[in-house]
Amino acid sequence: MAKVNTIRLMAEKKDELLQQWIELHLASLSLRKDIIGNENLYRQSRDFIDAFVQAAEGADFEDINRVEWTTVRKILAEISTNRSRQGYSPSETASYVFTLKEAIIRLLQKEYGVQPDVLIQETLTISKILDKLGLLTFETYSKAREEVIYRQQQEMLELSTPVIQLWDGILALPLIGTLDSGRTQVVMENLLRGILSTNSDVAILDISGVPTVDTLVAQHIIKTVSAARLMGAECIISGIRPEIAQTIVQLGVDLSMVKTRATLAGALKLALDMRKLTIVQIGKA
């Protein structure tokens, strides 16, 4: 019975409820007036109330995953996703539902203020479903935010592993920061794409900016060198500082099959010599 009374009241007093809800939004510190306009807020709120009333008329309040609540979930998902991308906080996003809850409770108090038993029952009923929708909003926001962060991390990885063409047939890939499995995969992909697009046969991996080299980092470098060789390019590792050289020796990592130089300048000189030798050999053939 409480469900019927509440939904009937929301339908009959929709304009009053909508106005009250928007006023709460405008008065709330959580509303980012610089991002969302009043017209857009009004449209979102009106559509949500219509969808909520329609869903509640055909389903109970126990399970918001039922098909009747599909439109409501879709609207909340769109709002949560957009606000996560616009820089809203989780509490700012969830307040969209909770200010509606406050507006409905005010409407119930006005309607059933002289009937405390009815008011309590109505309030408990509507609070139950809106709390569930508030949690759904938070979960959707968190998922969307994780996707944004992951995309930003991928973009940062791309920016932190530039492939530079130093000379005809010679590429350089300066590495800065810690190397892990995810970043090594990006390094390898960028290098192989660069070799293919420039038809280069010499690639320089400069590790001057890599703070430490352990067994895992060394393995990642060897895998990258091996992948480049499969593409027909030889790799030169430059930027090996004395402490890194000592660490590699202590770890027992075998880099004997890889050409190395202490500086990028030394690696470039070796690369040019390798290119000259290749050109001479091609001319003799």
Side-chain angles (χ1 to χ4, degrees), residues 268-281:
L268 178 57
K269 182 178 182 302
L270 175 60
L272 290 172
D273 291 341
M274 292 170 63
R275 285 286 295 161
K276 290 178 183 178
L277 180 61
T278 301
I279 292 173
V280 170
Q281 290 175 340

Side-chain angles (χ1 to χ4, degrees), residues 28 32 104 110 119 145-146 175 181 198 212 218 239 253 265 272:
S28 173
R32 302 281 294 276
I104 294 175
K110 183 178 179 181
L119 176 60
R145 195 62 186 165
E146 288 173 0
L175 301 178
S181 298
T198 62
T212 59
V253 178
L272 290 172

Side-chain angles (χ1 to χ4, degrees), residues 6-282:
T6 302
I7 300 307
R8 175 187 56 77
L9 187 62
M10 290 179 65
E12 292 176 355
K13 306 283 187 178
K14 184 177 76 171
D15 292 339
E16 180 181 345
L17 175 61
L18 182 59
Q19 184 63 35
Q20 181 72 53
W21 189 12
I22 291 176
E23 288 177 0
L24 289 171
H25 265 291
L26 295 175
S28 173
L29 292 175
S30 67
L31 180 63
R32 302 281 294 276
K33 301 181 181 66
D34 57 323
I35 297 178
I36 184 171
N38 290 356
E39 183 178 348
N40 190 30
L41 175 62
Y42 182 89
R43 179 188 58 79
Q44 284 182 346
S45 303
R46 183 195 61 220
D47 292 346
F48 184 81
I49 290 177
D50 289 341
F52 184 91
V53 170
Q54 182 177 359
E57 286 176 344
D60 58 36
F61 281 180
E62 297 299 322
D63 186 7
I64 62 172
N65 294 315
R66 291 183 57 171
V67 66
E68 291 86 349
W69 292 97
T70 300
T71 303
V72 174
R73 295 195 305 271
K74 184 178 179 180
I75 293 175
L76 284 181
E78 180 182 352
I79 292 172
S80 300
T81 301
N82 289 338
R83 293 195 176 189
S84 71
R85 292 170 179 170
Q86 292 169 340
Y88 283 81
S89 69
S91 59
E92 287 173 338
T93 304
S95 69
Y96 180 79
V97 172
F98 294 130
T99 50
L100 172 61
K101 176 181 174 180
E102 183 178 352
I104 294 175
I105 290 176
R106 290 186 181 185
L107 195 64
L108 291 173
Q109 289 173 337
K110 183 178 179 181
E111 185 75 13
Y112 300 110
V114 295
Q115 300 174 268
D117 292 342
V118 176
L119 176 60
I120 291 173
Q121 184 60 43
E122 298 284 347
T123 301
L124 290 175
T125 301
I126 198 64
S127 294
K128 188 175 183 180
I129 185 63
L130 288 175
D131 287 346
K132 290 181 180 180
L133 292 174
L135 289 175
L136 175 64
T137 303
F138 181 81
E139 291 172 358
T140 306
Y141 170 92
S142 298
K143 182 179 180 181
R145 195 62 186 165
E146 288 173 0
E147 292 174 354
V148 170
I149 293 172
Y150 176 77
R151 187 174 67 252
Q152 291 174 341
Q153 288 176 336
Q154 294 302 113
E155 292 171 354
M156 288 297 293
L157 284 175
E158 292 286 346
L159 292 174
S160 65
T161 54
V163 178
I164 305 168
Q165 185 168 10
L166 299 179
W167 205 269
D168 183 31
I170 301 175
L171 295 180
L173 183 61
L175 301 178
I176 301 174
T178 304
L179 286 178
D180 56 20
S181 298
R183 190 176 177 209
T184 302
Q185 184 65 30
V186 175
V187 168
M188 188 181 300
E189 291 175 358
N190 287 354
L191 179 60
L192 297 182
R193 281 199 300 264
I195 291 171
L196 181 63
S197 62
T198 62
N199 196 28
S200 297
D201 49 22
V202 181
I204 300 173
L205 296 179
D206 185 70
I207 62 173
S208 301
V210 178
T212 59
V213 174
D214 55 18
T215 305
L216 186 61
V217 172
Q219 289 175 349
H220 288 329
I221 293 174
I222 292 173
K223 288 180 180 179
T224 302
V225 171
S226 299
R229 282 178 173 167
L230 289 175
M231 294 286 292
E234 284 295 327
C235 283
I236 304 170
I237 299 177
S238 66
I240 299 182
R241 304 185 300 276
E243 59 270 23
I244 290 182
Q246 291 177 4
T247 301
I248 291 175
V249 172
Q250 292 171 358
L251 292 174
V253 178
D254 184 14
L255 293 180
S256 59
M257 300 298 293
V258 182
K259 295 179 175 63
T260 61
R261 288 295 183 271
T263 64
L264 180 58
L268 178 57
K269 182 178 182 302
L270 175 60
L272 290 172
D273 291 341
M274 292 170 63
R275 285 286 295 161
K276 290 178 183 178
L277 180 61
T278 301
I279 292 173
V280 170
Q281 290 175 340
I282 293 175

